[in-house]
Amino acid sequence: MESPQFKQLRRSYGFDEVAIVPGDVTTNPDQVNTDFKVAGFTFPIPIVASAMDAVTDVNFAVLMSKLGGVAVLNLEGVQTRYDNPREVLAEIAQASDAEVTLLLQRIYSQPIKENLIGERIESIKKSGAVCAVSVAPANTKRFAPIAAEAKADIFVVQSTVTTARHISKSYRGLIFSELRQSIPMPIVVGNCVSYSSCLELMRAGVSGVLVGV
């Protein structure tokens, strides 16, 4: 009888366990460049604000862009479900712990309004800001053409774990090489956590990869 084979688990570390060790050479801050680029866009501040309703709305996206970073607007949240998302967010913030779960379920059960996708993008663009928007893979084919028509600048396809290949018997999955040809804007994809999945996404021709969960 063969003995069972076990995989060796490697120790992983969180940010709280890692110390930054100073190098042998210091550099004058005036000579340090923290710019980062996504295709043809350069951002002086290397910060991408999360595509979460609690973080990014139209006003925050505009402000973040003016400061030199970029904020990603979630096209599947309250910003595109409600004409006045501020009222909805205020209602969530004021809800008690006992009420908030049922409230969130009710709020996010409302359908996404496709006309609001274009309106939110146009509001950001009207202010001269760089407009980055995010959708889940399941809605990418539906919303990508709308975002492109509204002239969004960066399109983010984001889920907890994203891969370059998807196996399904029921429908044709999202193929990033085809998505690149269908919309005229940089595509950022994630999340991924392994070297191989990251490399496959990069080989699909996307402009950026989100690493982590």
Side-chain angles (χ1 to χ4, degrees):
M1 182 175 177
E2 295 184 5
S3 58
Q5 299 296 315
F6 297 100
K7 288 186 176 181
Q8 182 71 34
L9 296 179
R10 293 186 301 169
R11 175 76 164 87
S12 61
Y13 298 89
F15 283 114
D16 293 339
E17 302 173 280
V18 178
I20 299 176
V21 179
D24 297 328
V25 180
T26 57
T27 304
N28 190 303
D30 293 338
Q31 296 175 262
V32 175
N33 186 346
T34 60
D35 290 358
F36 83 101
K37 296 182 179 181
V38 178
F41 297 95
T42 300
F43 302 97
I45 300 176
I47 296 175
V48 179
S50 176
M52 298 170 63
D53 283 338
V55 177
T56 301
D57 61 7
V58 170
N59 293 333
F60 185 79
V62 171
L63 179 60
M64 190 74 175
S65 181
K66 289 181 178 179
L67 291 173
V70 61
V72 185
L73 185 73
N74 177 16
L75 295 185
E76 298 167 295
V78 298
Q79 301 296 323
T80 56
R81 296 175 193 264
Y82 296 89
D83 294 308
N84 193 341
R86 285 189 178 184
E87 292 181 357
V88 177
L89 292 171
E91 187 179 0
I92 295 172
Q94 295 166 9
S96 67
D97 291 345
E99 300 170 329
V100 71
T101 299
L102 289 176
L103 176 62
L104 287 171
Q105 290 173 347
R106 176 175 61 80
I107 286 173
Y108 285 95
S109 68
Q110 294 299 307
I112 296 169
K113 300 176 182 177
E114 294 186 358
N115 65 298
L116 288 180
I117 293 177
E119 288 182 19
R120 302 296 180 238
I121 293 172
E122 289 168 6
S123 296
I124 295 172
K125 295 285 292 180
K126 196 180 296 182
S127 300
V130 174
C131 179
V133 296
S134 171
V135 298
N139 282 324
T140 295
K141 293 180 181 179
R142 175 185 168 194
F143 295 148
I146 302 172
E149 185 177 354
K151 301 191 184 310
D153 295 305
I154 299 172
F155 193 79
V156 181
V157 181
Q158 186 174 1
S159 64
T160 305
V161 176
T162 310
T163 57
R165 291 176 292 162
H166 177 72
I167 299 173
S168 173
K169 291 182 179 180
S170 58
Y171 70 98
R172 181 176 171 81
L174 177 62
I175 300 174
F176 291 113
S177 58
E178 294 179 358
L179 180 64
R180 283 181 55 245
Q181 295 175 1
S182 66
I183 58 174
M185 70 183 88
I187 299 171
V188 176
V189 180
N191 294 317
C192 68
V193 294
S194 70
Y195 170 82
S196 58
S197 61
C198 180
L199 189 60
E200 275 204 78
L201 289 170
M202 292 169 65
R203 285 174 172 166
V206 300
S207 299
V209 176
L210 303 174
V211 178
V213 175

